[in-house]
Amino acid sequence: MARFDEMSALLQRGKARDLATMVQEELAAGVPAKDILEQSLIIGMGIVGDKFKRNEVFVPEVLIAARAMNSALTILRPALADSGVEPIGTAVICTVKGDLHDIGKNLVKMMIEGTGINVIDLGVDCDKDKIVTAIKENNANVVCLSALLTTTMGYQKEVIDAIVEAGLRDQVKIMVGGAPVTEDFAKEIGADAYTPDAASAAETARAFFA
Ligand code: B1M
């Protein structure tokens, strides 16, 4: 238990190298990868998310914690695959067409990955056809659309319309976000959820699988 708490603390402080070393030691000592993930890393990332929501930590701290999470996941991934632990689902994420802002989108991606969801990142300036294709190819359950410009937030509706036209609307939950986006706008365009920050985006995505 103390070792799980220690790894969680290293993750929260963004100590990627020390965390990676400790994860390797735990695996070598026979601790199941699933326990390391669920009883230490996901809890640590959740604590970072809660602090972010309360403005107790800020973007740089979240990014370095997420980077530490990724370094630990790189080590855990083969062991998780061997032990048959499957991701709980798949999300497709992007910043929509015309929009090149990706810092918030990357945060959302990393926080959602921290909940055990497989995330396919389509990058920025993403066209609706590419999103529809990615949903089909990856059998995705969740779509996450980010927009930072008032001139691009409208494209989120075009993506939702394209998903409806492709007959995929019942297969996916659609989440929207980004600075100009609001709860009312999300309802108006037919999204399933609006979340104001990366931590609540991760909570909402996870809740879709509860
Ligand atoms: Co741009 N930019 N920018 N910019 N930029 C803004 C957004 C702006 C508000 C600045 C301003 O004028 N005050 C303004 C938009 C105005 C508007 O539309 N109302 C603006 C503009 C105008 C532009 C250009 C048009 C400038 C120009 O060229 N004339 C241009 C557009 C380029 C384009 O996209 N086509 C442009 C370019 C750029 C840079 C390339 C220089 C750079 C982006 C670099 C990058 O992302 N790799 C940039 C930056 C850095 C910003 C600001 C300063 C910071 C954005 C940021 O990363 N914030 C921004 C001003 C500001 O916000 N203070 C600004 C930190 C990030 C963590 O927050 O992205 O909001 P954010 O994400 C949050 C939440 O919104 C939420 O979670 C995140 C964290 O909790 N969230 C989601 C985001 N996506 C979500 C999805 C979800 C859920 C939650 O579910 C799916």
Side-chain angles (χ1 to χ4, degrees), residues 138-209:
N138 298 286
N139 204 17
N141 326 90
V142 178
V143 175
C144 303
L145 305 173
S146 181
L148 260 286
L149 300 170
T150 45
T151 49
T152 58
M153 60 192 273
Y155 195 77
Q156 293 180 325
K157 174 162 173 24
E158 290 191 41
V159 176
I160 295 175
D161 290 346
I163 290 171
V164 172
E165 273 166 36
L168 297 169
R169 188 62 186 93
D170 292 341
Q171 177 184 322
V172 288
K173 295 288 186 189
I174 302 175
M175 300 171 56
V176 294
V181 179
T182 62
E183 181 95 54
D184 283 348
F185 177 74
K187 281 196 187 123
E188 196 183 306
I189 64 171
D192 293 300
Y194 157 77
T195 53
D197 56 55
S200 44
E203 268 172 30
T204 302
R206 173 93 194 176
F208 285 140
F209 297 96

Side-chain angles (χ1 to χ4, degrees), residues 13-192:
R13 284 161 42 218
K15 300 282 180 194
R17 216 171 305 154
D18 294 345
L19 177 62
T21 304
M22 209 168 159
V23 168
Q24 255 154 352
E25 285 169 4
E26 292 301 284
L27 281 177
V31 179
K34 186 175 184 289
D35 292 357
I36 298 173
L37 181 67
E38 289 176 356
Q39 294 176 44
S40 177
L41 304 182
I42 289 180
I43 290 172
M45 208 59 214
I47 293 171
V48 174
D50 288 343
K51 287 186 175 169
F52 185 54
K53 271 204 274 186
R54 293 195 299 267
N55 289 327
E56 290 170 17
V57 298
F58 299 96
V59 171
E61 287 96 328
V62 179
L63 284 175
I64 58 165
R67 241 172 257 147
M69 177 82 176
N70 278 336
S71 72
L73 284 177
T74 305
I75 294 162
L76 282 183
R77 220 164 261 139
L80 286 170
D82 287 349
S83 61
V85 175
E86 295 289 330
I88 60 170
T90 297
V92 166
I93 192 167
C94 69
T95 304
V96 297
K97 189 175 168 186
D99 200 322
L100 302 175
H101 297 86
D102 68 357
I103 298 169
K105 184 266 294 170
N106 291 342
L107 270 177
V108 172
K109 174 193 169 186
M110 290 190 273
M111 298 292 286
I112 291 182
E113 276 181 333
T115 70
I117 296 172
N118 174 37
V119 184
I120 311 290
D121 186 357
L122 303 179
V124 297
D125 192 20
C126 195
D127 178 75
K128 56 189 175 187
D129 294 338
K130 191 173 171 187
I131 298 167
V132 166
T133 303
I135 296 169
K136 287 184 191 156
E137 283 179 354
N138 298 286
N139 204 17
N141 326 90
V142 178
V143 175
C144 303
L145 305 173
S146 181
L148 260 286
L149 300 170
T150 45
T151 49
T152 58
M153 60 192 273
Y155 195 77
Q156 293 180 325
K157 174 162 173 24
E158 290 191 41
V159 176
I160 295 175
D161 290 346
I163 290 171
V164 172
E165 273 166 36
L168 297 169
R169 188 62 186 93
D170 292 341
Q171 177 184 322
V172 288
K173 295 288 186 189
I174 302 175
M175 300 171 56
V176 294
V181 179
T182 62
E183 181 95 54
D184 283 348
F185 177 74
K187 281 196 187 123
E188 196 183 306
I189 64 171
D192 293 300

